[in-house]
């Protein structure tokens, strides 16, 4: 028995863990449910804790350029303090609540290229900790879907989605990163705007919607970004003319001359104020020297923010057969194959 426990301490003959999530997409602020399946090892082991951790692939900009990394943004301890007998099989159900700002990575069943996962950590006394990593699908809240549908009906098209490390100043943002959904302009705005970016910051009552326009330069002026923040409520869905509302949001940015905003919503991260104090610096610009070519170019290659080929349903013509850029699929697959700890801990 002592020898078996010694082997377990180096990962041989120890217990194993496999987490199975309830099928289907979860919504921000909703319940994530499933079961953790345990299988005892070659000896009895004391399970100290079973912890679920929400993780995401996030982009970060800095002086040297841009990098991608995994960020854990929530942890839940769902069980612990029991003995798992030799060879015993045990299933532990769980139900935890997602943060309201959890990014949306699925729209009408189509992936948006945002990589989210649930990592399970099995803490075992006298043995090497075990781990498991599973993909997490998160669909939009009704008000998020209503806003995106309105953009689509107005003629905007889905370009890409990504997660940016940092904070949007002047908002109630809770997570250390925010999601940007980038859209091509509707035809009536194409001569004025290169791109529209939307960020949702949800909370129990509703959400803040941050809309940013990458405006084209004129004959006597260069291009610049205009940004504004709007507040909507969850119960607004059924009795709001979303097409008119969203069009008014866009028009407030497009018609504004020069740098504009609502109270100044630049971003703060580890580097301080992006744009060196410019309250209307682009949210992704940490140091105020991003040109517009760089801004678009850094998302054009393969990566978690790569665009779905035909756009998301509800934006412009929809998914058109579910065509998805191959690099998005590869990125998701690589993340869960490369980070899955399995029996190696």
């Amino acid at each position: 028995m002592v020898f078996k426990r010694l082997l377990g301490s180096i990962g041989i003959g120890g217990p194993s863990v496999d987490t199975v999530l309830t099928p289907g997409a979860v919504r921000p602020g909703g319940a994530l449910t499933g079961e953790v399946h345990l299988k005892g090892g070659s000896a009895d082991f004391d399970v100290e804790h079973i912890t679920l951790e929400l993780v995401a692939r996030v982009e970060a900009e800095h002086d040297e350029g841009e990098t991608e990394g995994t960020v854990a943004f929530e942890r839940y301890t769902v069980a612990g303090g029991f003995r798992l007998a030799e060879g015993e099989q045990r299933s532990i159900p769980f139900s935890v609540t997602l943060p309201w700002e959890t990014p949306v990575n699925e729209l009408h069943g189509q992936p948006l290229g945002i990589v989210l996962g649930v990592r399970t950590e099995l803490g075992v006394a006298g043995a090497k900790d075990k781990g498991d990593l599973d993909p997490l699908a998160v669909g939009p809240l009704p008000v998020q879907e209503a806003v995106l549908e309105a953009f689509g009906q107005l003629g905007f098209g889905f370009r890409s989605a990504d997660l940016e490390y940092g904070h949007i100043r002047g908002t109630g943002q809770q997570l250390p990163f925010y999601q940007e959904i980038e859209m091509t302009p509707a035809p009536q705005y194409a001569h004025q705007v290169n791109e529209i970016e939307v960020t949702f910051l949800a909370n129990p009552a509703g959400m803040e919607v941050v809309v940013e326009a990458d405006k084209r330069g004129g004959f006597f002026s260069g291009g610049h970004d205009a940004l504004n923040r709007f507040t909507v409520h969850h119960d607004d869905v059924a009795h709001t003319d979303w097409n008119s509302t969203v069009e008014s949001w866009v028009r407030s940015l497009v018609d504004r001359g020069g740098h504009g905003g609502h109270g100044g919503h630049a971003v703060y991260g580890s580097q301080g104020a992006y744009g060196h104090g410019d309250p209307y610096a682009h949210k992704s610009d940490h140091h105020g020297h991003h040109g517009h070519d760089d801004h678009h170019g850094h998302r054009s290659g393969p990566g978690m923010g790569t665009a779905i080929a035909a756009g998301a349903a509800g934006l412009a013509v929809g998914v058109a057969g579910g065509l998805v850029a191959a690099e998005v699929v590869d990125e998701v697959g690589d993340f869960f194959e490369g980070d899955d700890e399995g029996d190696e801990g």
Side-chain angles (χ1 to χ4, degrees):
M1 177 65 73
V2 174
F3 181 67
K4 289 182 178 179
R5 292 185 66 83
L6 177 62
L7 292 177
S9 68
I10 59 174
I12 301 175
S16 61
V17 58
D18 178 30
T19 298
V20 178
L21 303 179
T22 301
V26 188
R27 285 179 173 174
L32 173 65
T33 61
E35 291 187 339
V36 178
H37 300 305
L38 304 178
K39 183 176 181 180
S42 57
D44 295 352
F45 287 95
D46 292 322
V47 176
E48 297 178 334
H49 65 89
I50 299 175
T51 300
L52 304 179
E53 187 174 62
L54 303 184
V55 296
R57 287 298 299 270
V58 177
E59 297 179 358
E61 297 182 12
H62 43 79
D63 287 332
E64 290 72 31
E66 180 182 280
T67 57
E68 288 186 356
T70 303
V71 173
F73 60 98
E74 187 61 280
R75 284 175 64 87
Y76 317 87
T77 297
V78 297
F82 63 90
R83 170 156 289 203
L84 187 67
E86 178 180 353
E88 177 187 356
Q89 295 189 14
R90 183 182 299 201
S91 294
I92 300 174
F94 64 84
S95 178
V96 298
T97 303
L98 293 185
W100 281 96
E101 290 180 16
T102 301
V104 174
N105 65 351
E106 182 178 299
L107 184 60
H108 294 291
Q110 297 300 318
L112 300 181
I114 299 293
V115 182
L116 303 174
V118 179
R119 176 178 285 127
T120 305
E121 179 184 296
L122 175 63
V124 184
K128 187 176 182 180
D129 288 352
K130 302 296 179 177
D132 185 34
L133 183 62
D134 298 274
L136 173 63
V138 179
L141 293 162
V143 68
Q144 291 173 324
E145 187 171 336
V147 170
L148 294 176
E149 289 286 356
F151 272 106
Q153 292 178 23
L154 292 171
F156 292 84
F158 178 86
R159 172 171 284 163
S160 67
D162 57 17
L163 303 181
E164 296 280 349
Y165 188 79
H167 285 80
I168 304 176
R169 189 176 67 191
T171 69
Q173 180 184 341
Q174 300 295 312
L175 295 185
F177 56 81
Y178 56 92
Q179 180 176 19
E180 286 185 336
I181 298 175
E182 302 171 2
M183 289 175 280
T184 57
Q188 63 268 33
Y189 299 113
H191 66 291
Q192 296 171 287
V193 176
N194 291 308
E195 180 179 78
I196 291 288
E197 296 177 349
V198 178
T199 294
F200 296 114
L201 298 174
N203 57 63
M207 71 182 61
E208 296 171 273
V209 185
V210 181
V211 184
E212 183 173 10
D214 177 10
K215 300 179 68 174
R216 298 182 183 275
F219 188 75
F220 295 105
S221 63
H224 61 270
D225 296 336
L227 182 148
N228 212 336
R229 176 173 60 90
F230 309 92
T231 300
V232 297
H233 301 282
H234 294 301
D235 56 8
D236 288 341
V237 175
H239 50 80
T240 298
D241 182 346
W242 289 106
N243 282 16
S244 297
T245 298
V246 170
E247 186 163 31
S248 71
W249 294 351
V250 176
R251 181 59 59 187
S252 71
L253 297 176
V254 172
D255 290 346
R256 178 181 298 137
H259 285 228
H262 184 276
H265 305 297
V267 177
Y268 279 85
S270 59
Q271 303 297 323
Y274 304 170
H276 296 299
D278 178 358
Y280 307 115
H282 189 279
K283 297 194 302 297
S284 299
D285 185 355
H286 287 228
H287 306 288
H289 54 251
H290 243 333
H292 290 289
D293 291 339
D294 293 336
H295 166 58
H296 294 143
H298 85 273
R299 296 187 181 92
S300 63
M304 75 173 190
T306 308
I308 293 177
L315 293 179
V317 296
V319 176
L323 299 178
V324 180
E327 53 265 38
V328 171
V329 179
D330 292 341
E331 183 81 14
V332 175
D334 291 345
F335 175 63
F336 291 107
E337 290 176 10
D339 284 19
D340 190 345
E341 297 168 301
D343 288 339
E344 298 304 317

